[in-house]
Amino acid sequence: MTALLRIGNLGVRFPGTTAVEGVDLELERDEVLAVVGESGSGKSVTALAVMGLLPAGATATGSVTLDGRELLGAPEEELRRVRGARIALVFQEPSTALNPVERVGWQIGEVLRAHGTPRRERAARVAELLTSVGIPPERARDYPHRFSGGQKQRIVLALALAVDPDVLIADEPTTALDVTVQAEILALLRDLRRERRLAVLLITHNIGVVADLADRVAVMRDGRVVETQDVRGLFAAPATEYARRLLAAVPRLEAHDRPARPAPAKEPVLAVEDLRVDHPGRPATLDGITLAVAPGEVLGLVGESGSGKTTLGRVAVGRLRPASGTVRLFGQDLPGLSRSELRALRRRVGVVHQDPAASLDPRRTVLESITEPLDVHRIGTPAARASRAHDLLDQVALHRDHARRLPRELSGGQRQRVALARALALEPDLLLADEPTSALDVSVQAAVLDLFTELQERHGFACVFISHDLAVVNQVADRVAVLRGGRLIELGTARDVLTTPSTPYTRTLVDSVPVPDPVAQRSRHAPDLEISA
Amino acid sequence: MTSYLLRRLPSLAVVLAVSSVLIFGLLRLVPGDPAVTLAGANATPDAVAAIRHELGLDRPVAGQYLHWLAGLVTLDLGRSHIVGGGIGSLVGSALGYTLLLTASALLLAVVAALVLGTLWAGTRRPWVDHLLTGANTLAIAVPTFVLGVALALLFGVVFPVLPTGGVPREGLLADPGITAQYLLLPTICLALPVGGVLTRYLAESLRTELAQPYVVTALAAGISRRRVLVRHALRNVLPTSLTVLGLQTGAVLGGAVLIEFTFSWPGIGMLIERAITGRDYPVVQVLLMLSVTIFVVLQLLTDAAHALLDPRIRLGGTR
């Protein structure tokens, strides 16, 4: 029997570069094949090539067959009839995957229209589809911005599955979502696959998601498939060195013994008491927050989007005024300070943001970016600043040649190292890191986290480490604070909070993180398999 | 929606008030005395003083301003010094001609932009792209006064098929066919640069829009490229294109002054040209105030249309 979808010796070339070369993949009905790899490994390009939707200028060679019929080079109209009806695509960013100015029901209706469903049957079918992904059908008349990220991804799934395709290509379907929402979407995908006997090509860099959903796994690197294996086989005994390293780089939620630091005898670097932050007309963004960060301590701040993590960070550096409560930074009351006093305090705070591509000025060289804080605070001579910058480049393990480059000439991980070097330029006593590794690949993330830990030990700065990724926080934080809806739910040592959570919410959070181990992960949702059996 | 528009009204009132002061004040600073011009070269100082008194120019400036403002509010626009007659009726008849000309030019520009801009963004044939790029550059680059004369020569002299100036003798409404013939050349001339800018803007925003993820979602679900372009993507670029259209309408009104002069079209442009050369302050003041008002109203309409087209603005953050 031949496979439902067969990709044979696929190559994709862009002018000047080869994105994908010699890729062979086979997908059967009712099977989930995961394609894993880091950014730039050619995963998404492969998906677009299958759909015949490569950007202008790209050329594809080799073959893509569906039920034995060649798709590569087929006429546009024939491809159009395959798209949506036989092969559907769902991808990463649910917030941009829907047309912002049309009602969601209309958008699903458009797909039905394109495949010949008569107008009078469309509304009923749209309602049915929305129900099947857990969205109340009366919300068909709402616009996308009225839905949460998880709801949007459900709607995108309804849209993709509108005309009952046989193959679903899901490109990073849960990457942009919170862990608990990710768990819901993964459960939905599992249900849909079972009900419809879907063949799923799951593209992801999240090893936990692979462990959760995949039957087989293809590992891609630099446009080639380096290894294809049964999921249990891959996790038990990866055949290639690359796959082994990829698996090892995944941060885990297991208990993690770090030397207990002495109880803070000195005054805390940052102390927040009964803090409240309001936005007019909305429920309080933060309410009743009390916590302190001791010198040299790393406090992990976790919570889902909208929980107030970033707001708390902004209050801590005096960028946002609280409605009530006290904020003491290095022993001084922030709300009472003048501009110049605040500036002087900020010299002692370094900041690293989530997306290094956005937080570095694209027209400044690495050297200029790193010396900027020194220039602003007029520290040392220009020559001294430059030598300090070179010293910092050494510390973040970048080559001195990188100093003259522009951010776009660096990789994501290198850019984040530059951002880290810049944050450390003034030798801060407190570092505020807001999702510093969320935009990075796992293996790059692992290297940046190692670097972070090493620098933290060397310089002894205190740190507020904001992240939605519990495993990352587990790796770096001494203590963890869990925020939910602007309230502090739990605060304790990383070990206590993440291994034996005391609140049901934290328990849910911890349980939602997919474990990068297929056997363990599947046993966690075993109950719902029994129900269906 | 209504409250959204109501909130904008105070700032609009401020803009109008400030510009009335500016217009009135600036015209007092222009060299030349209307009384002297009106009295003629050989007038005695007494005669000039008498005319000045008659026109109210000997009163304090603040008083003159308040008197003028009161007139504006009650729609009593005063009398023209030079052209003669009530300003209200002068402006009224000229405004009709100008509105017809600018409205038809805008209509032509918008239709051309919608058709050609969409075609330009959607085409995958290089020659269509090259052709439209060339035509577009030409439309934007050639100045109105050159184009007006060229068109008049081509269709009035070389191929004498269209009238090259003036308006139908029996009035605009007598025979729409004849009116259209008179209207054609000035309209094309006025519409071309504006249409060029709009087309280019629309095509460029459509190209940006076509790179959006939702377009891939729609294509991947089997919706045809044409439908995605004209139904899904176009809808998204209309709000910002409207803002550009609102700004370009200003260019149309400015361009109308030149075009009316070239094609002897008796509109506001002709009137303002006569009033300025004759130092007819009251007429100039009213016309400037009128154009500011039109501009302000246009911006308000643009914002209203923008809000109507974009549910994110219309519905705000209410959940």
Side-chain angles (χ1 to χ4, degrees):
Chain A
M1 189 189 129
T2 61
L4 179 61
L5 180 73
R6 183 194 295 270
I7 300 172
N9 195 23
L10 179 74
V12 178
R13 256 169 242 17
F14 287 91
T17 55
T18 300
V20 167
E21 203 173 4
V23 166
D24 293 300
L25 293 172
E26 280 183 8
L27 186 60
E28 309 279 355
R29 195 173 282 280
D30 200 10
E31 180 194 45
V32 178
L33 171 66
V35 179
V36 299
E38 314 203 314
S39 42
S41 61
K43 310 185 299 282
S44 298
V45 172
T46 305
L48 289 176
V50 170
M51 301 298 288
L53 288 174
L54 286 173
T59 49
T61 55
S63 108
V64 176
T65 57
L66 179 72
D67 274 340
R69 265 182 36 226
E70 180 62 51
L71 294 183
L72 222 56
E76 175 69 20
E77 179 54 25
E78 193 184 324
L79 281 176
R80 190 191 69 71
R81 267 176 288 160
V82 169
R83 291 181 201 135
R86 302 291 321 274
I87 310 180
L89 176 69
V90 168
F91 55 7
Q92 181 169 2
E93 196 52 70
S95 56
T96 52
L98 291 168
N99 191 333
V101 302
E102 301 286 0
R103 301 175 197 276
V104 297
W106 181 88
Q107 299 189 42
I108 298 175
E110 275 288 284
V111 181
L112 297 172
R113 178 185 176 280
H115 294 286
T117 309
R119 178 185 290 270
R120 59 197 143 68
E121 292 169 25
R122 279 183 223 154
R125 180 85 183 114
V126 167
E128 201 180 301
L129 283 162
L130 285 176
T131 313
S132 75
V133 293
I135 300 284
E138 62 273 15
R139 298 208 61 190
R141 294 188 56 73
D142 274 334
Y143 290 95
H145 72 279
R146 299 288 188 95
F147 293 93
S148 69
Q151 286 175 321
K152 278 185 226 169
Q153 196 64 302
R154 286 166 184 272
I155 294 165
V156 173
L157 272 170
L159 188 150
L161 300 178
V163 250
D164 254 324
D166 305 305
V167 181
L168 176 69
I169 301 180
D171 188 353
E172 304 276 9
T174 60
T175 304
L177 304 174
D178 281 324
V179 268
T180 53
V181 182
Q182 166 172 297
E184 288 168 17
I185 295 289
L186 289 177
L188 177 64
L189 269 174
R190 243 187 339 263
D191 290 347
L192 290 171
R193 172 230 170 156
R194 201 169 48 222
E195 281 162 22
R196 301 171 179 237
R197 298 195 63 234
L198 271 176
V200 182
L201 187 69
L202 176 73
I203 295 172
T204 184
H205 70 270
N206 189 326
I207 305 294
V209 170
V210 173
D212 187 273
L213 216 54
D215 301 315
R216 284 189 306 132
V217 187
V219 182
M220 281 189 79
R221 184 191 194 187
D222 298 335
R224 292 169 173 281
V225 174
V226 293
E227 178 171 354
T228 309
Q229 258 214 67
D230 166 67
V231 66
R232 286 171 201 228
L234 179 81
F235 278 85
T240 54
E241 170 64 18
Y242 179 70
R244 198 190 59 70
R245 267 194 289 133
L246 201 62
L247 290 177
V250 179
R252 282 157 202 265
L253 251 186
E254 285 135 20
H256 192 308
D257 277 318
R258 23 169 72 244
R261 287 170 207 260
K266 284 181 284 177
E267 190 175 21
V269 185
L270 173 71
V272 172
E273 210 164 299
D274 199 20
L275 177 78
R276 182 186 169 88
V277 176
D278 286 326
H279 276 303
R282 275 190 256 162
T285 328
L286 288 174
D287 197 5
I289 307 278
T290 300
L291 53 80
V293 183
E297 179 192 41
V298 179
L299 176 74
L301 208 54
V302 301
E304 305 194 81
S305 41
S307 61
K309 307 185 295 285
T310 299
T311 308
L312 184 52
R314 293 182 57 194
V315 171
V317 294
R319 292 212 5 237
L320 197 68
R321 257 172 195 281
S324 66
T326 56
V327 186
R328 292 172 72 79
L329 186 60
F330 308 120
Q332 298 196 47
D333 253 326
L334 273 190
L337 292 184
S338 69
R339 264 166 186 280
S340 59
E341 285 170 322
L342 201 55
R343 250 173 81 93
L345 272 194
R346 282 201 189 127
R347 251 179 79 165
R348 299 170 62 189
V349 182
V351 179
V352 181
H353 295 282
Q354 171 167 6
D355 187 355
S359 67
L360 292 174
D361 187 332
R363 291 179 195 283
R364 279 171 194 260
T365 62
V366 166
L367 183 75
E368 286 167 337
S369 279
I370 296 179
T371 54
E372 191 186 12
L374 302 167
D375 296 337
V376 167
H377 290 283
R378 298 196 190 84
I379 292 167
T381 60
R385 290 174 200 165
S387 83
R388 169 99 181 109
H390 283 121
D391 186 38
L392 284 162
L393 279 177
D394 287 343
Q395 289 189 32
V396 297
L398 284 177
H399 200 268
R400 287 181 181 222
D401 290 346
H402 286 118
R404 284 192 305 275
R405 296 210 197 161
L406 290 173
R408 63 159 191 275
E409 297 167 318
L410 302 175
S411 68
Q414 288 173 331
R415 281 197 283 252
Q416 200 58 301
R417 285 165 194 265
V418 173
L420 199 52
R422 177 174 62 176
L424 296 179
L426 293 168
E427 299 194 330
D429 297 312
L430 174 66
L431 186 74
L432 177 68
D434 192 350
E435 303 271 6
T437 61
S438 303
L440 305 176
D441 279 323
V442 237
S443 63
V444 181
Q445 165 173 291
V448 170
L449 288 178
D450 284 344
L451 173 70
F452 171 83
T453 309
E454 183 200 318
L455 289 172
Q456 201 270 333
E457 273 158 16
R458 169 148 26 140
H459 296 276
F461 51 78
C463 177
V464 176
F465 194 103
I466 300 174
S467 180
H468 71 279
D469 190 331
L470 301 185
V472 166
V473 169
N474 182 43
Q475 193 170 333
V476 297
D478 302 308
R479 287 193 306 148
V480 173
V482 182
L483 287 181
R484 183 193 192 189
R487 289 177 170 276
L488 186 62
I489 295 281
E490 195 163 346
L491 175 64
T493 63
R495 196 191 177 115
D496 288 350
V497 173
L498 298 177
T499 51
T500 51
S502 63
T503 60
Y505 176 68
T506 315
R507 176 89 261 164
T508 313
L509 266 189
V510 170
D511 286 346
S512 300
V513 178
V515 179
D517 173 351
V519 183
Q521 175 63 17
R522 273 153 222 237
S523 70
R524 296 168 97 196
H525 50 73
D528 68 44
L529 284 179
E530 277 162 28
I531 292 165
S532 73
Chain B
M1 182 71 193
T2 318
S3 70
Y4 171 75
L5 291 179
L6 281 178
R7 275 200 310 272
R8 317 258 336 229
L9 286 182
S11 68
L12 296 184
V14 170
V15 169
L16 286 179
V18 169
S19 43
S20 74
V21 173
L22 278 178
I23 288 168
F24 191 86
L26 277 175
L27 279 181
R28 304 296 124 166
L29 297 177
V30 174
D33 184 341
V36 175
T37 320
L38 198 60
N42 301 320
T44 62
D46 280 353
V48 171
I51 289 173
R52 190 171 290 147
H53 178 73
E54 197 189 318
L55 297 179
L57 294 175
D58 54 351
R59 280 184 287 164
V61 173
Q64 287 182 41
Y65 171 72
L66 288 178
H67 180 74
W68 175 62
L69 200 63
L72 277 185
V73 174
T74 55
L75 289 180
D76 171 16
L77 304 179
R79 297 189 63 77
S80 153
H81 297 165
I82 313 287
V83 185
I87 295 178
S89 67
L90 275 178
V91 170
S93 78
L95 193 61
Y97 283 105
T98 298
L99 282 185
L100 178 66
L101 178 62
T102 47
S104 44
L106 278 177
L107 184 71
L108 182 63
V110 168
V111 170
L114 282 176
V115 174
L116 296 177
T118 313
L119 180 69
W120 197 6
T123 188
R124 294 209 271 176
R125 297 194 178 86
W127 66 266
V128 176
D129 185 47
H130 293 319
L131 189 74
L132 284 170
T133 309
N136 186 267
T137 309
L138 211 61
I140 296 176
V142 176
T144 309
F145 51 89
V146 175
L147 185 72
V149 175
L151 283 180
L153 277 175
L154 189 64
F155 293 105
V157 181
V158 183
F159 308 104
V161 286
L162 288 172
T164 57
V167 285
R169 220 162 294 148
E170 294 81 28
L172 291 175
L173 302 174
D175 184 345
I178 300 285
T179 304
Q181 288 184 20
Y182 277 92
L183 205 52
L184 202 54
L185 286 186
T187 301
I188 291 177
C189 215
L190 192 53
L192 216 53
V194 177
V197 169
L198 268 181
T199 307
R200 175 158 285 200
Y201 180 81
L202 198 72
E204 207 47 64
S205 349
L206 273 175
R207 280 185 208 115
T208 313
E209 209 57 35
L210 288 178
Q212 294 295 315
Y214 76 81
V215 168
V216 184
T217 304
L219 287 176
I223 299 168
S224 68
R225 275 180 202 277
R226 172 182 305 220
R227 174 97 183 155
V228 168
L229 181 69
V230 301
R231 185 62 188 82
H232 296 229
L234 192 59
R235 175 72 205 275
N236 270 284
V237 304
L238 286 186
T240 48
S241 305
L242 258 179
T243 307
V244 174
L245 177 66
L247 294 172
Q248 285 294 312
T249 307
V252 169
L253 290 173
V257 175
L258 268 175
I259 299 290
E260 286 179 2
F261 195 69
T262 314
F263 292 95
S264 322
W265 188 264
I268 296 285
M270 288 282 272
L271 187 61
I272 210 168
E273 190 270 338
R274 276 162 72 198
I276 290 176
T277 36
R279 302 211 188 293
D280 201 341
Y281 284 177
V283 178
V284 177
Q285 268 166 208
V286 168
L287 288 178
L288 289 180
M289 207 50 218
L290 179 70
S291 39
V292 172
T293 313
I294 290 178
F295 235 94
V296 166
V297 171
L298 275 175
Q299 295 309 320
L300 187 67
L301 288 180
T302 311
D303 288 344
H306 196 142
L308 262 181
L309 281 173
D310 193 335
R312 286 166 297 186
I313 298 181
R314 175 163 28 107
L315 301 172
T318 50
R319 273 165 199 266

